[in-house]
Amino acid sequence: MFSKILIANRGEIAVRITKTCRRMGILTVAVYSDADADSLAVEMADEAVFIGPSPASQSYLRGEAILEAAKATGAQAIHPGFGFLSESAEFARACAGAGVVFIGPNPEAIEAMGDKIASKRSAVAAGVRVVPGQVGEIADAAHAVKIAEQIGYPVMIKASAGGGGKGIRVARGGSEVEEAVPAVRAEAKGAFGDDRLFIEKFIEHPRHIEIQVLGDQHGHVLHLFERECSIQRRNQKVIEEAPSPLIDPVTRKAMGEQAVALARAVKYDSAGTVEFVVGQDKSFYFLEMNTRLQVEHPVTELVTGLDLVEQMIRVAAGEPLGFNQGEVRIEGWAIESRIYAEDPYRGFLPSIGRLVRYQAPAEGARDGALVRNDTGVREGDEITMFYDPMIAKLSTWAPERAGAVRTMARALEDLDIQGVGHNAPFLSAVMDQARFKAGELSTSYIADEFPNGFEGLAPTPWQIDLMTAVAAFMHRLLAARAMGGRRSDVEARGEWVVVVGDETRRVRLTGSGERLEVTLLAEDRVVALEGVQWRPGLALFRGRLDGEEFTATVGFAVEGFRIRHRAATTRALILTPASAELHHRLPPKAPPDTSRQVICPMPGLVISMDVGEGDEIRAGQVVCVIEAMKMQNIIRAERDGVVKKIGAAAGDSVSADDVLAELA
Ligand code: ADP
Ligand code: ADP
Ligand code: MG
């Protein structure tokens, strides 16, 4: 076994690998760029080596600098994590050449599977069913149209080197193919330095289900069942789970066998993933193989009890797999939510900045379930433009799917993130949707369920009670403080009016300390709030409402309080009956409508303005390109519309929240 491993990655996955190394008694070497000098990954490693400036091309993608660091520190092996050099056959060969073990598959397997065209060929040869299409490169747009007509619309134009949802476009007719080919080619060239394209049938409303495989250097290959990753935005996964609610034992076995056949065909000797698109009728087609550890590997670990990083290290060191197919089984259900620094209310645009506050739910057992949080950041750290804006991966496990969903919904409530926008409200919305609870998933789930973009969910009657009680409690405590009273001495008495969203409710408040009873006078009903843990200054308000535990996120609004519970956000105001009378007569203040504006998410320089006044544009279309911190960021429209006004031109400096364009 190795005694020292270098981790050629950053953030959450570097921390994840470090944890397993520590448990195995292996020393770790971190490498870091300028932006990551004070990162958690560096802090946790036994040694750390600086490898260059923040852009990945000058640091995490510099194989020779990383190999030098390995030699200088005496590391015997390199774990590449995911992204960066993890799927570079060239780097894997360079490692071998330098006498350092690459913790991943052999370079020939990476090459055979590394690009989508090559992997589709290997799959066909191994007898695996692939998505119908052209198994080869397309020459130009005319060639693509010809193939598309043979396959039948809709089709997908894909970059052979694509990854992370980039370099993919759907086309529903000849003119869309002509438009997509140069666009995907340019994107692929820019993002992957490889502009080869191919074309395949676009399967409508499919599910994304993938099989985890594991091989060793002694010819053993087995699979660790499936993960379903159908909840995606921009062809990128956001919520994943294991097992899949769709898959029955017969399909599971068939998919597993095909995945293993493919892995065997390329002499696969590490952890890898065979991805399939699956019809709602359970017909499945090979999509691609990822020859690395996958972002969503924790759900497989939670249901199989195996540590995939440990398995990768062991097989890389030459050990044979310590178990066979018959010995692995699925126990319970696991779900992972990717917590991103992005604004769900604005088309999921990245939201960078400092994590002024970052508090994650407690890990470990929780009411017969489990909570796990994989993260690479600490409070006070910065989410930069340079890398993937993922803050954490929150996973839950329970004996049944419903329990895992329930635990996730509760764990998401306990996330306290301030300073950057984040997608917890969106993830909460999904956990609360009947369709998700029923397991009726599809890669078009987000588009189907949030056709106008995410706007939060309306509060349920229970949530309106919760918000009423929370607002009343906050008001009572603040009033008591203002009067200099001690908390336990204060008794809430008398009648008040609580305005929650559009509802105005007359209430009587009783109780003291951590307890408050709210009598809703019109309904003659009592709502009991107990066990409150909150004091001014805290964003999380914990308590039990009618016996049910909850955590709400609270803050002060211009008038009253802002309260969010899961995906529902409201403003709440407490008034005396007399001032409520006056309040009623005030004209309502409408919040500004920003839904028709394209707003600048970060300060920077406008490189190009790609739309003009009067242009008809579609959701997802490029509006402009902004350079910030040496990176080009594509700003896209969040909805269809006609450009009414342009707010900036190429060469302009813009600030966060500037209006770049207005749509009619
Ligand atoms: P998964 O299938 O594990 O969810 P993704 O395809 O979303 O993985 O990508 C995992 C990570 O690797 C992401 O951080 C993504 O940005 C990065 N990534 C994936 N493919 C590439 C690539 N070809 N080049 C650079 N980064 C990539
Ligand atoms: P990446 O390398 O970016 O992960 P994939 O080929 O795995 O690219 O595709 C990413 C996602 O795009 C898939 O998970 C799926 O949702 C969607 N997708 C890809 N190919 C097809 C297809 N032929 N039909 C329908 N959806 C597809
Ligand atoms: Mg993929």
Side-chain angles (χ1 to χ4, degrees):
M1 185 41 65
F2 312 115
S3 56
K4 195 188 267 188
I5 289 177
L6 181 142
I7 299 162
N9 215 299
R10 61 174 303 284
E12 166 272 314
I13 193 62
V15 169
R16 158 78 192 86
I17 296 164
T18 307
K19 283 184 183 165
T20 290
C21 289
R22 276 190 178 175
R23 196 171 49 70
M24 295 175 73
I26 301 171
L27 294 171
T28 54
V29 180
V31 290
Y32 63 94
S33 68
D34 276 325
D36 290 329
D38 298 316
S39 67
L40 179 59
V42 168
E43 181 191 297
M44 284 181 67
D46 296 294
E47 286 169 76
V49 180
F50 173 71
I51 48 163
S54 305
S57 60
Q58 296 170 47
S59 49
Y60 299 105
L61 287 170
R62 284 182 56 214
E64 67 307 344
I66 290 167
L67 268 172
E68 253 169 55
K71 276 186 252 166
T73 54
Q76 301 127 334
I78 296 182
H79 197 306
F82 46 67
F84 302 132
L85 296 170
S86 61
E87 293 181 276
S88 165
E90 192 192 328
F91 180 65
R93 283 208 177 92
C95 287
V100 177
V101 175
F102 176 79
I103 303 175
N106 63 78
E108 291 72 34
I110 299 179
E111 247 153 23
M113 291 294 145
D115 75 72
K116 292 184 209 254
I117 293 175
S119 70
K120 240 176 136 166
R121 281 209 186 97
S122 308
V124 172
V128 174
R129 189 152 41 146
V130 302
V131 181
Q134 158 91 341
V135 188
E137 230 180 292
I138 51 172
D140 52 26
H143 184 209
V145 173
K146 211 173 114 207
I147 299 166
E149 264 146 29
Q150 283 161 14
I151 305 170
Y153 291 104
V155 295
M156 228 173 189
I157 316 288
K158 286 183 157 184
S160 187
K166 289 185 206 86
I168 292 185
R169 191 125 14 136
V170 181
R172 297 184 181 274
S175 64
E176 288 189 11
V177 172
E178 278 164 18
E179 210 178 293
V181 167
V184 178
R185 213 185 272 290
E187 190 177 32
K189 181 124 190 100
F192 314 110
D194 175 345
D195 66 358
R196 288 173 307 137
L197 306 184
F198 68 106
I199 190 164
E200 66 187 20
K201 179 101 188 148
F202 175 64
I203 317 275
E204 304 252 23
H205 309 290
R207 302 168 76 125
H208 174 118
I209 300 177
E210 57 189 33
I211 302 284
Q212 174 72 53
V213 296
L214 187 59
D216 64 18
Q217 297 176 32
H218 307 275
H220 306 121
V221 183
L222 47 78
H223 70 86
L224 301 176
F225 318 107
E226 80 279 7
R227 292 184 284 261
E228 173 149 11
C229 320
S230 296
I231 309 293
Q232 307 184 342
R233 50 125 185 68
R234 288 186 227 112
N235 298 311
Q236 244 197 325
K237 302 156 186 170
V238 205
I239 299 171
E240 301 103 336
E241 60 186 285
S244 157
L246 181 75
I247 299 302
D248 55 71
V250 175
T251 313
R252 175 171 299 128
K253 187 158 177 284
M255 289 179 79
E257 281 170 1
Q258 292 219 352
V260 168
L262 178 58
R264 276 224 171 88
V266 296
K267 301 201 165 50
Y268 204 78
D269 52 356
S270 186
T273 297
V274 180
E275 298 190 331
F276 295 92
V277 272
V278 182
Q280 299 294 344
D281 61 358
K282 301 182 193 169
S283 58
F284 56 91
Y285 305 91
F286 171 78
L287 205 53
E288 64 161 344
M289 179 166 182
N290 293 325
T291 56
R292 52 167 161 89
L293 186 66
Q294 202 93 346
V295 173
E296 57 276 18
H297 74 278
V299 292
T300 297
E301 296 187 325
L302 285 166
V303 296
T304 60
L306 291 164
D307 178 332
L308 285 171
V309 173
E310 177 186 340
Q311 294 303 322
M312 288 178 84
I313 294 172
R314 289 194 182 283
V315 296
E319 286 186 20
L321 288 175
F323 43 87
N324 57 41
Q325 189 69 61
E327 288 168 304
V328 285
R329 44 180 55 80
I330 301 174
E331 212 183 299
W333 212 286
I335 300 184
E336 174 185 276
S337 294
R338 299 192 191 187
I339 315 293
Y340 279 110
E342 64 182 17
D343 188 342
Y345 302 99
R346 283 189 193 170
F348 303 102
L349 283 173
S351 167
I352 53 156
R354 191 166 296 282
L355 279 168
V356 173
R357 186 136 176 91
Y358 171 64
Q359 215 181 43
E363 289 189 280
R366 182 170 187 157
D367 300 330
L370 286 175
V371 176
R372 166 174 169 177
N373 189 50
D374 285 78
T375 192
V377 292
R378 297 155 302 198
E379 193 165 289
D381 284 353
E382 186 125 17
I383 305 290
T384 73
M385 301 281 318
F386 294 111
Y387 317 108
D388 197 277
M390 192 161 73
I391 301 171
K393 301 186 310 203
L394 185 60
S395 311
T396 58
W397 176 94
E400 312 283 343
R401 185 171 187 272
V405 175
R406 209 180 318 115
T407 308
M408 179 62 75
R410 278 289 292 127
L412 286 166
E413 290 180 25
D414 284 333
L415 259 181
D416 187 2
I417 297 177
Q418 292 168 44
V420 299
H422 61 85
N423 63 341
F426 169 77
L427 298 164
S428 296
V430 176
M431 294 302 142
D432 277 346
Q433 282 180 323
R435 178 173 164 194
F436 183 78
K437 288 187 200 163
E440 287 161 14
L441 313 181
S442 150
T443 57
S444 59
Y445 186 99
I446 295 178
D448 298 344
E449 297 299 313
F450 306 99
N452 303 316
F454 177 66
E455 292 162 331
L457 296 183
T460 62
W462 187 78
Q463 285 177 318
I464 293 175
D465 286 353
L466 181 155
M467 288 157 173
T468 304
V470 167
F473 190 98
M474 290 172 74
H475 173 80
R476 187 188 69 177
L477 187 58
L478 291 169
R481 291 251 168 140
M483 292 185 293
R486 285 217 324 275
R487 185 173 171 174
S488 56
D489 295 335
V490 179
E491 220 183 296
R493 261 190 244 98
E495 270 185 48
W496 297 87
V497 173
V498 185
V499 184
V500 175
D502 308 329
E503 274 202 49
T504 301
R505 311 170 109 183
R506 275 180 50 238
V507 301
R508 177 177 301 115
L509 306 181
T510 49
S512 63
E514 275 111 50
R515 201 185 146 76
L516 174 74
E517 286 115 29
V518 182
T519 306
L520 303 166
L521 295 171
E523 302 167 53
D524 196 21
R525 183 161 67 86
V526 181
V527 174
L529 177 63
E530 295 166 290
V532 172
Q533 295 170 41
W534 181 77
R535 56 182 165 74
L538 291 186
L540 296 190
F541 183 114
R542 294 196 165 90
R544 279 193 310 280
L545 188 78
D546 294 333
E548 206 170 310
E549 281 187 21
F550 70 89
T551 309
T553 300
V554 299
F556 295 96
V558 179
E559 253 188 333
F561 310 112
R562 186 179 36 74
I563 302 170
R564 173 172 74 81
H565 180 253
R566 300 195 175 180
T569 304
T570 193
R571 273 200 315 140
L573 187 61
I574 315 285
L575 302 163
T576 60
S579 57
E581 268 303 304
L582 291 170
H583 186 77
H584 244 3
R585 291 193 215 127
L586 290 174
K589 258 189 287 177
D593 178 14
T594 56
S595 66
R596 297 190 171 277
Q597 297 175 338
V598 178
I599 292 172
C600 187
M602 77 281 283
L605 180 72
V606 180
I607 297 294
S608 66
M609 175 54 69
D610 298 78
V611 296
E613 279 168 22
D615 286 2
E616 199 170 308
I617 63 170
R618 293 170 58 178
Q621 190 172 330
V622 178
V623 172
C624 64
V625 178
I626 302 216
E627 191 179 271
M629 294 190 267
K630 301 196 193 101
M631 292 247 308
Q632 297 203 347
N633 302 279
I634 296 171
I635 311 298
R636 295 172 191 276
E638 290 163 31
R639 53 151 73 199
D640 298 351
V642 174
V643 179
K644 203 168 78 184
K645 206 170 152 218
I646 292 292
D652 286 357
S653 286
V654 285
S655 315
D657 289 333
D658 278 2
V659 178
L660 298 167
E662 259 176 71
L663 308 183

